[in-house]
Amino acid sequence: MTVMTYARAINRALAEELERDADVFIMGQDVGAFGGAFGVTRGLQERFGRRRVFDTPISENFLVGGGVGAALTGLRPVVELQYADFIAVAMDEIYNKAAKWRYMHGGLFSVPLVIRAPGGLAGGAGPEHSQSPEGLLLSAAGLHVVTPSTPADALGLLKSAVRSSNPVVYIEHKGLYGLKGEVPDGEHLIPIGVADVKREGTDVTIVAWTSMVHRALAAAETLAAEGIQVEVVDPRGVRPLDTDTILASVQKTGRLIVSHEAPAPGGAASEVAAYVAEHALDYLAAPIQRVCGADIPIPQSSDLEQYAIPSVDDLIRACRSALSYR
Amino acid sequence: MTVMTYARAINRALAEELERDADVFIMGQDVGAFGGAFGVTRGLQERFGRRRVFDTPISENFLVGGGVGAALTGLRPVVELQYADFIAVAMDEIYNKAAKWRYMHGGLFSVPLVIRAPGGLAGGAGPEHSQSPEGLLLSAAGLHVVTPSTPADALGLLKSAVRSSNPVVYIEHKGLYGLKGEVPDGEHLIPIGVADVKREGTDVTIVAWTSMVHRALAAAETLAAEGIQVEVVDPRGVRPLDTDTILASVQKTGRLIVSHEAPAPGGAASEVAAYVAEHALDYLAAPIQRVCGADIPIPQSSDLEQYAIPSVDDLIRACRSALSYR
Amino acid sequence: MATRDTYRGLYTGMLRVATWEQRLLRMIEEGRTSGFYHAGRGQEATAVGATMPLRRDDYLLYDHRGMGHAITKGVPIDRLFSDFLGFREGTTGGLGAGIVHIAWPEAGVLGQSGTLGGSFPIAAGAGLSALYRGTDQVVLCFFGDGASNRGTFHESANVAALWNLPVIWLCENNGYAVSVPTAEAISVAQISQRAIAYDMPGTTVDGMDPIAVYDAVSAAVERARAGGGPSLIEAMTYRYRGHYEGDPQTYRTREERDEWEAKDPLVMFPRRLIDEGYADEQWIEATRISVSEEIEAAAATALQGSKPPVSRIFDNVYA
Amino acid sequence: MATRDTYRGLYTGMLRVATWEQRLLRMIEEGRTSGFYHAGRGQEATAVGATMPLRRDDYLLYDHRGMGHAITKGVPIDRLFSDFLGFREGTTGGLGAGIVHIAWPEAGVLGQSGTLGGSFPIAAGAGLSALYRGTDQVVLCFFGDGASNRGTFHESANVAALWNLPVIWLCENNGYAVSVPTAEAISVAQISQRAIAYDMPGTTVDGMDPIAVYDAVSAAVERARAGGGPSLIEAMTYRYRGHYEGDPQTYRTREERDEWEAKDPLVMFPRRLIDEGYADEQWIEATRISVSEEIEAAAATALQGSKPPVSRIFDNVYA
Ligand SMILES: Cc1ncc(C[n+]2csc(CCOP(=O)(O)OP(=O)(O)O)c2C)c(N)n1
Ligand SMILES: Cc1ncc(C[n+]2csc(CCOP(=O)(O)OP(=O)(O)O)c2C)c(N)n1
Ligand SMILES: [Mg+2]
Ligand SMILES: [Mg+2]
């Protein structure tokens, strides 16, 4: 085990996969010598050369669509959107091309493309540079969407994404880049679509993604002092969704809180809530609660933006409310 | 009351609003002399002239973004995307520009823009011309999304959309264009965000949109013969969602089925299910069921595509299952 | 550069395409296929003339107008019928066909994007891939005058020129995008003029003349293979049928159609073959017969196919 | 066409912009604002020279580089400070500022798109609106060399030229998009060359010379007002600071910066004013003082403002 940051773990995953497979290449704005807008690709061009790691114009439609074209013809592109919000800019390429090309052409192709997209709040980046748009891809049949919350997950999920024969959108959280954590030293792969129980508990389940996993853990810590055992489940993605792990947890605790930075409408929390309401109704001892971002665009002010996403207190309150229900 | 088709009702709404307000104009591909890919704008250019009703190049980003620019500067554009699937093509303009411009610029502007977008199956139009993408806009704070299921609703919702100070995506169903129904003769406005109980019932609630409203009504008819009273609620849109009407119905029937052509993940059905699981858990006598499209791209074959969306039988089965629960 | 074999090959190729389409239209009339179809009749000289210069391992992104490009590139025509019939023997394994979505990887046919302009970035990406892998493959990307106004063209043309990608952008300018004439949609007189904006060669050719198209594309292919980068070729052509089957065609005159029908490559080109001594009446007749037989045989094969089970729709979502 | 008043006005304008920014940078240093900021230092001649020819009722879509365009167009500078301070007195009412999102409708400032290139269609739409309403307003749309590669440019430039919309596309070519030099992102030597693809006038001017920019834009505005349609103007300029505050700037050399700093419009232009007799040292000094005072006063006003309540974030989502 080595302690490293989330950003460093992504960098390591890229380096390992570039090293392992000559068909892997990286393209995006400023990913080359500059090392990426957030420093995540630092050193990769120097090490692997300009053929393997290179800058592109500000052309997100090409970036993703070009990635599809390269993937269809035998390569394994890893493209970087500078902000996850730009998923909307390249939505047709992601939603209608990357996701559907294989299916609509009768299964004759595979599309081993990875789209890295930094999401989440970043200290005043505003309504078009702070979103967590994974919910926009919930219905993108053909696509996988993963969302690491720790350095180890960042490493293992990205390596699996690069090796997948399917297009994978890898949404990394900008606010977590500096987060340190233990990472296994050897080859570390995490299967796509498998949730991780980040903390075991018996009284209430919090299903949370990326930054909210950490707030959920903080809430769990506080509540533990009161004897309340919170289970924190990190689905590590939204498509596929590991409903088995979620269901098992809810069947144990009987109480479900679902939490992400994105607003509830159209978010993965709604998906989890709906699924549980379909499949575990009788286990529920309290109403499901979605503790999610406010249903507003994200304000630019770095003070105010914090109020657009759930706090640790919001989660604590929700847990208490679930436990005191009826 | 006059009987007219759904397509004709849309045409009438456009004509009435063009007539009423000189700031209203229509642009889109083939909307002029040709009368629209589906004949919906027929006669409008002839009547109102080429200044008010005109063709554009195949440039969806301009179409929507240009609509935003015109709306910001005093006009009320009604733009037509030839297929609702092309929402993905203009996603940044819809999701990040039309929806957020007002908010992010401190409320200094309003964006009275209507985006008409024909969705749904149309007899073999394939995976990129048959989708029902309203779920992609569930999280678009700042935007309204309406979905008429009858000629009267098509008329009243469109007229309200044109008069709204907010951007409205108006998703009309291609498969319903020929549907005939009674339409009020005078000025007919339907408020945005108000559900309509299309059939009253006491035993089970089906919340359904556009084409599925009719399948739900057919299912209700069949079940009525067995003495089962199905309530069919048509939210007539997905944003805002009339949760009050839905909640009232579920509190009455205790059983909820939610149905649309789009797949369940990321769809409005998940939103409804999650909301009810949060706010009416104790009223539920059976698990919620989402009876939605298959989680696949839509196959091109006109035979097979029918299996990608729910049938009347699927709804009947779901009702029976809800009623026989436990 | 066009030899006798080229002339004869182009004629045979156009005839195959037109005969195939004619047979498909009969299937549509008979109600055997419900797919949307955008007939290519009239544009054969462009589709075939532009595709013939390619090698089998070159890549093709075709567009929705006719199947001439895909047929010429090597999609088996019985399978193509099967696609439209919705039979499992089709390239899509029974998912159906219509607006798009036939492919044949072994002949480099990468498919088509149903959202117009979606092919541009994919073509650039395929070009990038060829360069990356160090092959001398080229990419031929077809698009209509209407699709040329999508922003994806700009992004893709820029990177193709910037990185010297082996891509041939082939615009089939048939004067209309559904009902909208080019003059009401495009701010320049000729789309080839847009090549200047990317510093790549741009040229306009007579799209009713298969040799003109063949020569222009051959030169562009040669250039691309040699590392000379992309080209934009605009072929002036015309579709004889409606945008789709059933199109009222209120937007154009009978006279205009007559004018273009006088240039029908399937009428004019065989005459030229004879006039210029590349073939005689007998060869023409023999070709007509053998092509008819080939198409009939393919149709017969296809018609023996079968629809897939409903479970087919759940296959191939993921690899 | 530039008179003595123009010369003096341009100098005063540039000075206001630069002084405002300097004051803002102090606020950033003091930790008073956490907004992202992309400094405009070096590009004042372009921002101010291009915006000055506009009437108050003309429209502006600015971009993320500095606030020179917005200030020149008439956004009150105390309010601008308030935006960055996150105070309710800001144009956004306390939502904050940074990458974007200041607006001032009464002076035609329509705002900015945070996704680069998002302004192009909006500018075209505003031009369409002016034409529709029969006014003679024009639209000035700023963008960087990097943003010029977005597909939205293509779509918007095409309709603007096609419909003769009164839009001036003003490219601030400062040689870089973050770290990527134009030569590694753009396939043509000069972005103005792309005007040919739309049949509109395109020209490249010295973006360090406010008069050159002013003259070029004045001509384009006149043309647009008279119904002559859009123009593309590329101003060659340079940013003296990093892409963002804190940028390591590893991608460029000290020599290159020195070269451009020798052309600093805030140093060169006042000399020219004196040399060409448009002003004397005394006027320059008096202007410097009065601008400083104006900015200080605005800053003082702004600093007295207050943060909005948290409930602010729920306002203005809908009209
Ligand atoms: C992005 C997008 N916009 C609109 C359409 C609908 N559409 C299909 S074909 C067509 C006309 C295309 O014209 P052109 O590119 O000239 O090709 P042609 O049909 O003339 O061969 C249109 C508007 C589409 N498929 N995709
Ligand atoms: C669609 C989109 N892609 C990428 C970005 C991130 N980004 C912000 S500024 C910038 C560089 C812009 O370069 P240029 O247009 O030349 O303007 P400059 O910063 O040089 O003034 C980039 C890549 C963005 N905001 N929007
Ligand atoms: Mg055409
Ligand atoms: Mg720049």
Side-chain angles (χ1 to χ4, degrees):
Chain A
M1 289 282 183
T2 307
V3 171
M4 63 173 65
T5 63
Y6 183 91
R8 188 78 213 146
I10 297 172
N11 184 280
R12 179 178 140 193
L14 294 171
E16 287 180 6
E17 295 306 301
L18 281 164
E19 183 69 46
R20 190 188 55 80
D21 185 346
D23 291 337
V24 175
F25 71 91
I26 295 178
M27 64 175 174
Q29 294 142 27
D30 306 296
V31 299
F34 195 65
F38 301 100
V40 171
T41 55
R42 204 166 286 156
L44 296 178
Q45 186 181 73
E46 202 178 348
R47 178 160 163 210
F48 296 97
R50 290 174 66 99
R51 176 173 165 269
R52 307 283 307 281
V53 181
F54 54 92
D55 292 332
T56 63
I58 301 174
S59 299
E60 280 77 7
N61 301 103
F62 160 73
L63 204 47
V64 176
V68 172
L72 290 175
T73 53
L75 300 180
R76 294 189 167 270
V78 179
V79 305
E80 178 185 304
L81 294 173
Q82 210 158 68
Y83 288 82
D85 312 65
F86 307 161
I87 283 173
V89 174
M91 190 68 175
D92 187 48
E93 285 71 29
I94 298 174
Y95 194 81
N96 288 324
K97 304 286 95 71
K100 298 188 174 76
W101 200 269
R102 170 183 177 74
Y103 183 86
M104 63 192 181
H105 292 95
L108 295 168
F109 302 96
S110 63
V111 185
L113 167 69
V114 177
I115 301 167
R116 283 183 46 234
L121 297 195
E128 295 152 296
H129 290 77
S130 307
Q131 297 172 88
S132 299
E134 59 276 359
L136 296 179
L137 304 174
L138 282 166
S139 60
L143 202 74
H144 288 158
V145 182
V146 298
T147 57
S149 68
T150 66
D153 289 354
L155 174 68
L157 284 173
L158 185 47
K159 286 170 63 81
S160 294
V162 173
R163 298 179 191 197
S164 169
S165 299
N166 295 300
V168 181
V169 176
Y170 178 94
I171 299 187
E172 53 199 59
H173 194 293
K174 297 190 285 292
L176 297 180
Y177 280 138
L179 178 79
K180 286 187 178 157
E182 292 214 323
V183 171
D185 287 323
E187 183 83 308
H188 179 57
L189 293 167
I190 291 177
I192 288 169
V194 177
D196 186 37
V197 178
K198 289 280 194 266
R199 179 185 178 117
E200 295 203 1
T202 48
D203 301 330
V204 52
T205 299
I206 303 181
V207 173
W209 289 262
T210 66
S211 63
M212 295 312 299
V213 169
H214 302 284
R215 295 195 172 184
L217 289 170
E221 200 60 40
T222 301
L223 289 166
E226 301 173 22
I228 299 169
Q229 300 307 327
V230 178
E231 178 145 308
V232 178
V233 177
D234 175 2
R236 301 199 283 207
V238 306
R239 188 175 177 97
L241 197 58
D242 180 354
T243 46
D244 288 352
T245 303
I246 294 169
L247 224 49
S249 180
V250 173
Q251 286 167 350
K252 177 170 67 174
T253 65
R255 294 172 182 86
L256 174 63
I257 286 153
V258 207
S259 183
H260 49 54
E261 281 192 17
S270 302
E271 200 49 38
V272 168
Y275 188 86
V276 170
E278 285 181 325
H279 295 96
L281 190 74
D282 295 333
Y283 290 92
L284 289 174
I288 298 171
Q289 294 174 68
R290 290 175 293 172
V291 177
C292 295
D295 188 18
I296 55 172
I298 294 167
Q300 185 107 35
S301 153
S302 54
D303 293 340
L304 294 180
E305 69 175 7
Q306 283 303 325
Y307 299 98
I309 66 164
S311 65
V312 176
D313 277 350
D314 291 335
L315 288 168
I316 292 174
R317 220 173 296 124
C319 289
R320 291 221 176 91
S321 147
L323 283 157
S324 65
Y325 185 72
R326 199 149 346 158
Chain B
M1 290 282 184
T2 308
V3 171
M4 62 172 68
T5 63
Y6 183 92
R8 186 81 215 141
I10 297 172
N11 185 280
R12 180 178 140 194
L14 294 171
E16 287 180 7
E17 296 306 302
L18 282 164
E19 182 68 49
R20 190 186 55 79
D21 185 345
D23 292 337
V24 175
F25 71 93
I26 296 178
M27 64 176 174
Q29 294 142 28
D30 307 296
V31 300
F34 194 66
F38 301 100
V40 170
T41 56
R42 204 166 285 157
L44 296 177
Q45 186 181 73
E46 202 179 351
R47 179 161 163 209
F48 295 98
R50 290 174 64 99
R51 176 173 164 270
R52 308 282 307 281
V53 181
F54 54 92
D55 293 332
T56 62
I58 301 175
S59 299
E60 280 78 7
N61 301 102
F62 161 73
L63 204 47
V64 176
V68 172
L72 290 176
T73 53
L75 300 180
R76 292 187 170 272
V78 180
V79 306
E80 180 187 303
L81 294 173
Q82 211 158 68
Y83 288 82
D85 311 65
F86 306 161
I87 283 173
V89 174
M91 190 68 175
D92 187 47
E93 285 70 29
I94 298 174
Y95 193 82
N96 288 325
K97 304 286 96 74
K100 299 188 174 78
W101 201 269
R102 171 184 176 76
Y103 183 86
M104 61 191 182
H105 292 95
L108 295 169
F109 302 96
S110 63
V111 185
L113 166 68
V114 178
I115 301 167
R116 283 183 45 237
L121 297 195
E128 295 152 295
H129 291 76
S130 307
Q131 297 172 87
S132 297
E134 58 277 359
L136 296 180
L137 304 174
L138 280 165
S139 59
L143 202 73
H144 287 157
V145 182
V146 298
T147 57
S149 69
T150 66
D153 289 354
L155 175 69
L157 285 173
L158 185 46
K159 286 169 64 80
S160 294
V162 174
R163 297 179 192 196
S164 170
S165 298
N166 295 302
V168 181
V169 175
Y170 177 94
I171 299 187
E172 53 199 60
H173 194 293
K174 297 190 285 292
L176 297 179
Y177 281 139
L179 179 80
K180 286 187 176 157
E182 292 214 320
V183 171
D185 287 323
E187 183 82 310
H188 179 58
L189 292 167
I190 291 176
I192 287 169
V194 178
D196 187 35
V197 178
K198 289 280 194 267
R199 179 185 176 118
E200 296 203 0
T202 48
D203 300 329
V204 53
T205 298
I206 303 181
V207 173
W209 288 264
T210 66
S211 62
M212 295 312 300
V213 169
H214 302 284
R215 295 196 171 184
L217 290 170
E221 199 60 38
T222 301
L223 289 165
E226 302 173 20
I228 299 169
Q229 300 308 326
V230 178
E231 178 145 306
V232 178
V233 177
D234 175 2
R236 300 199 284 206
V238 306
R239 188 174 176 100
L241 197 58
D242 181 354
T243 45
D244 288 352
T245 303
I246 294 168
L247 224 49
S249 181
V250 173
Q251 287 167 350
K252 178 170 66 173
T253 64
R255 292 173 185 86
L256 175 62
I257 286 153
V258 208
S259 183
H260 48 55
E261 280 192 16
S270 301
E271 200 49 40
V272 168
Y275 189 86
V276 170
E278 286 182 325
H279 295 95
L281 189 75
D282 296 332
Y283 291 91
L284 289 174
I288 298 171
Q289 294 174 69
R290 290 175 293 172
V291 178
C292 296
D295 189 18
I296 56 171
I298 294 167
Q300 185 109 34
S301 153
S302 55
D303 293 342
L304 292 180
E305 69 175 6
Q306 283 303 324
Y307 298 99
I309 66 163
S311 65
V312 176
D313 277 349
D314 292 334
L315 288 168
I316 291 173
R317 220 172 297 124
C319 289
R320 290 220 176 93
S321 148
L323 283 157
S324 66
Y325 186 73
R326 197 147 349 158
Chain C
M1 49 183 85
T3 63
R4 193 191 75 154
D5 281 355
T6 316
Y7 274 78
R8 289 188 170 193
L10 284 168
Y11 178 62
T12 311
M14 293 196 299
L15 199 58
R16 287 178 81 225
V17 165
T19 311
W20 179 88
E21 180 171 284
Q22 205 174 21
R23 189 65 186 84
L24 177 74
L25 292 171
R26 216 169 88 206
M27 290 180 186
I28 293 174
E29 265 167 41
E30 291 165 359
R32 290 183 194 269
T33 159
S34 56
F36 288 74
Y37 184 66
H38 303 90
R41 190 66 264 282
Q43 302 188 195
E44 293 86 354
T46 297
V48 177
T51 310
M52 282 254 301
L54 297 193
R55 272 191 338 226
R56 190 165 170 87
D57 68 336
D58 289 330
Y59 295 119
L60 172 72
L61 285 137
Y62 60 94
D63 82 345
H64 62 283
R65 177 68 52 216
M67 293 305 305
H69 348 72
I71 290 174
T72 307
K73 192 70 176 67
V75 178
I77 55 177
D78 56 334
R79 298 230 173 195
L80 212 45
F81 280 130
S82 308
D83 275 317
F84 281 88
L85 291 163
F87 287 170
R88 63 214 304 176
E89 291 78 10
T91 70
T92 64
L95 281 188
I99 296 179
V100 280
H101 305 322
I102 276 117
W104 205 240
E106 64 187 66
V109 181
L110 296 183
Q112 198 226 322
S113 168
T115 47
L116 291 174
S119 295
F120 295 129
I122 294 177
L128 173 64
S129 166
L131 212 65
Y132 184 95
R133 288 179 287 107
T135 76
D136 66 348
Q137 293 164 290
V138 306
V139 185
L140 178 61
C141 180
F142 280 93
F143 59 104
D145 46 282
S148 76
N149 288 318
R150 278 290 318 282
T152 46
F153 177 74
H154 183 62
E155 300 196 357
S156 309
N158 179 55
V159 294
L162 181 69
W163 294 335
N164 261 335
L165 304 181
V167 182
I168 293 106
W169 305 110
L170 201 299
C171 182
E172 297 183 86
N173 185 343
N174 62 5
Y176 294 90
V178 192
S179 73
V180 183
T182 51
E184 292 182 23
I186 301 176
S187 67
V188 277
Q190 296 294 159
I191 291 162
S192 61
Q193 192 175 329
R194 294 197 162 156
I196 304 170
Y198 309 100
D199 236 342
M200 65 179 162
T203 177
T204 298
V205 298
D206 178 358
M208 306 308 272
D209 175 358
I211 297 293
V213 177
Y214 180 88
D215 284 347
V217 174
S218 295
V221 165
E222 208 169 303
R223 195 171 167 275
R225 268 203 225 297
S231 310
L232 172 59
I233 297 170
E234 175 186 29
M236 303 306 292
T237 181
Y238 199 79
R239 61 169 156 76
Y240 294 161
R241 303 181 67 92
H243 173 70
Y244 52 93
E245 296 303 299
D247 178 353
Q249 304 187 53
T250 43
Y251 47 85
R252 60 183 188 180
T253 62
R254 184 67 252 177
E255 292 70 49
E256 185 184 281
R257 267 196 279 169
D258 287 347
E259 227 172 86
W260 281 93
E261 275 170 12
K263 305 180 196 169
D264 189 342
L266 285 164
V267 175
M268 302 306 286
F269 196 60
R271 281 198 210 145
R272 183 162 158 203
L273 249 60
I274 294 169
D275 289 352
E276 302 186 13
Y278 291 114
D280 56 18
E281 290 278 7
Q282 211 174 332
W283 181 88
I284 302 267
E285 190 49 28
T287 303
R288 223 186 287 271
I289 290 167
S290 80
V291 165
S292 284
E293 283 170 1
E294 181 201 359
I295 302 297
E296 253 335 299
T301 303
L303 286 164
Q304 277 161 28
S306 62
K307 303 228 166 175
V310 169
S311 66
R312 169 69 188 90
I313 67 174
F314 299 105
D315 299 337
N316 304 140
V317 180
Y318 288 93
Chain D
M1 48 182 75
T3 63
R4 191 189 77 153
D5 282 354
T6 316
Y7 274 78
R8 289 188 169 192
L10 284 168
Y11 178 63
T12 312
M14 293 196 298
L15 199 60
R16 286 179 80 226
V17 165
T19 311
W20 179 88
E21 181 171 284
Q22 202 172 23
R23 190 66 185 81
L24 177 74
L25 291 172
R26 215 169 87 206
M27 290 179 184
I28 292 175
E29 265 167 42
E30 291 164 358
R32 290 181 192 271
T33 158
S34 56
F36 288 75
Y37 185 65
H38 303 89
R41 190 68 263 283
Q43 301 188 196
E44 294 85 355
T46 297
V48 177
T51 310
M52 281 256 300
L54 296 193
R55 272 191 339 226
R56 189 165 171 86
D57 69 336
D58 289 330
Y59 295 119
L60 171 71
L61 284 137
Y62 60 93
D63 81 346
H64 62 282
R65 177 69 49 216
M67 294 304 305
H69 349 71
I71 290 174
T72 307
K73 192 67 175 71
V75 177
I77 54 176
D78 55 335
R79 300 229 173 196
L80 213 45
F81 281 130
S82 309
D83 275 317
F84 281 88
L85 292 163
F87 287 170
R88 64 216 302 177
E89 292 78 10
T91 70
T92 65
L95 281 188
I99 296 178
V100 281
H101 306 320
I102 276 118
W104 205 241
E106 64 187 64
V109 181
L110 296 183
Q112 197 228 322
S113 168
T115 48
L116 291 174
S119 294
F120 295 129
I122 294 177
L128 173 64
S129 165
L131 211 66
Y132 184 96
R133 288 179 287 108
T135 75
D136 65 350
Q137 293 163 291
V138 306
V139 185
L140 178 61
C141 180
F142 281 93
F143 59 104
D145 46 284
S148 75
N149 287 319
R150 279 289 319 280
T152 47
F153 177 73
H154 184 61
E155 300 197 358
S156 308
N158 179 56
V159 294
L162 181 71
W163 295 337
N164 260 334
L165 304 181
V167 182
I168 293 103
W169 306 110
L170 201 299
C171 182
E172 298 184 86
N173 185 342
N174 62 6
Y176 294 90
V178 191
S179 72
V180 182
T182 51
E184 292 182 23
I186 301 175
S187 67
V188 277
Q190 295 294 160
I191 291 163
S192 61
Q193 192 175 331
R194 295 199 160 154
I196 303 170
Y198 308 99
D199 237 342
M200 65 179 165
T203 177
T204 298
V205 298
D206 178 358
M208 305 308 271
D209 175 358
I211 296 293
V213 177
Y214 181 88
D215 284 348
V217 175
S218 295
V221 165
E222 208 170 299
R223 196 171 167 274
R225 268 202 225 298
S231 310
L232 172 60
I233 297 170
E234 176 187 27
M236 302 307 291
T237 181
Y238 199 79
R239 60 169 158 77
Y240 294 160
R241 303 180 68 90
H243 173 69
Y244 53 93
E245 295 303 300
D247 178 354
Q249 304 186 55
T250 43
Y251 47 84
R252 58 183 188 179
T253 62
R254 183 67 254 177
E255 291 69 48
E256 185 184 282
R257 268 197 278 169
D258 287 347
E259 226 172 87
W260 280 94
E261 276 173 9
K263 304 178 196 171
D264 189 342
L266 284 164
V267 176
M268 302 306 287
F269 197 62
R271 282 197 209 143
R272 181 161 159 203
L273 250 62
I274 294 169
D275 290 351
E276 301 185 15
Y278 290 114
D280 54 19
E281 290 277 8
Q282 210 174 336
W283 182 86
I284 303 267
E285 190 50 31
T287 303
R288 222 184 285 270
I289 290 166
S290 81
V291 166
S292 284
E293 283 170 0
E294 181 201 359
I295 302 296
E296 251 337 297
T301 304
L303 286 164
Q304 277 160 28
S306 60
K307 302 228 164 174
V310 169
S311 67
R312 170 68 188 89
I313 68 174
F314 300 105
D315 299 337
N316 303 140
V317 180
Y318 288 93

